[in-house]
């Protein structure tokens, strides 16, 4: 797979340190939960950063990302009309075709964006979809889920919106046939524990650090019952039956 040249359609800051980036899509078919490596040129240095797909619409790719280092800071400086290179779609996304009935999506922080396109796909195939969104303080993107989910549950540690506390405090797995989750590892570990207790199938999208995005560098490995696996290649989505925390 080769990088393809794209162009910035729009870039907008939607919360503190959170940006909504829109670029021209390539011709590839994209599965919910997959990601792209975005390449930002900084003189002699080429920085690649993995960003999950937030939304696909009208031949446009939408990404939501958080500025946490040099690469994402450079990315946030790009403006409409600027060129950008993308590699993708990469990885294995959520297995939407394997689930039915009532599905819960549990997201935390910057793990929330990939759940939007996932919710869209689940609704298309007739699932009942509830989304549980957990924030540390400032909320973002929750309004968009109104169009693609049956119910939205919100929790924030600051307590200014929704339930004050952790999203796992108000998540009850026994109400669902399947669960997809993405966010901080400590949150996903708790979601997995809740699902295991209720014998509900759960899939987790791991957000390990990545360097190449194609499985060559082995930076993003995680432990599974089948040995160490690469999040960028065998993941980022894994069944809760195989992940070992």
């Amino acid at each position: 797979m080769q990088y393809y040249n794209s162009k910035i359609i729009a870039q907008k800051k939607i919360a503190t340190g959170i940006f909504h980036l829109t670029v021209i899509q390539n011709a590839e078919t994209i599965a919910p939960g997959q990601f792209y490596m975005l390449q930002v040129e900084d003189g002699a240095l080429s920085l690649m950063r993995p960003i999950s797909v937030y939304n696909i619409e009208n031949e446009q790719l939408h990404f939501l990302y958080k500025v946490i280092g040099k690469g994402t800071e450079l990315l946030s400086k790009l403006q409409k009309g600027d060129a950008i290179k993308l590699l993708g779609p990469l990885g294995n996304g959520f297995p939407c075709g394997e689930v039915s009935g009532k599905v819960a999506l549990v997201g935390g922080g910057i793990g929330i964006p990939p759940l939007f396109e996932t919710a869209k796909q689940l609704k298309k195939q007739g699932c009942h979809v509830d989304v549980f969104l957990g924030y540390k303080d400032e909320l973002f993107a929750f309004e968009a889920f109104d169009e693609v989910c049956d119910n939205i549950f919100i929790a924030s540690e600051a307590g200014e919106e929704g339930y004050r506390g952790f999203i796992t405090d108000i998540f009850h797995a026994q109400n669902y046939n399947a669960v997809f989750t993405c966010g901080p590892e400590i949150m996903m570990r708790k979601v997995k524990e809740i699902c295991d207790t209720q014998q509900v199938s759960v899939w987790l999208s791991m957000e390990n650090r990545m360097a190449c995005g194609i499985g060559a560098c082995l930076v993003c490995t995680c432990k599974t019952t089948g040995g160490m696996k690469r999040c960028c290649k065998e993941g980022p989505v894994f069944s809760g039956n195989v992940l070992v925390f």
Side-chain angles (χ1 to χ4, degrees), residues 9-83:
I9 297 173
Q11 169 117 269
K12 181 181 180 181
K13 184 177 181 179
I14 62 170
T16 304
I18 306 293
F19 287 79
H20 182 173
L21 174 68
T22 308
V23 305
I24 297 173
Q25 181 188 351
N26 60 352
E28 298 285 346
T29 300
I30 305 166
Q34 287 190 301
F35 68 96
Y36 279 75
M37 298 297 292
L38 278 60
Q39 186 178 43
V40 182
E41 298 291 343
D42 177 30
L45 181 63
S46 293
L47 296 170
M48 297 190 298
R49 290 296 180 268
I51 310 290
S52 296
V53 174
Y54 166 57
N55 189 19
I56 308 164
E57 187 176 44
N58 300 325
E59 299 183 349
Q60 298 177 359
L61 278 177
H62 297 258
F63 301 95
L64 294 189
Y65 66 94
K66 183 177 182 178
V67 175
I68 55 175
K70 184 176 181 180
T72 46
E73 182 179 357
L74 288 170
L75 187 61
S76 72
K77 304 298 183 185
L78 296 178
Q79 299 179 1
K80 180 179 180 179
D82 287 345

Side-chain angles (χ1 to χ4, degrees), residues 208-211 215 217-222 229-233:
N208 293 27
R209 292 180 63 87
M210 298 180 188
C217 68
L218 305 181
V219 168
C220 63
T221 55
C222 63
K229 300 294 182 180
R230 300 162 295 182
C231 288
C232 68
K233 198 71 174 179

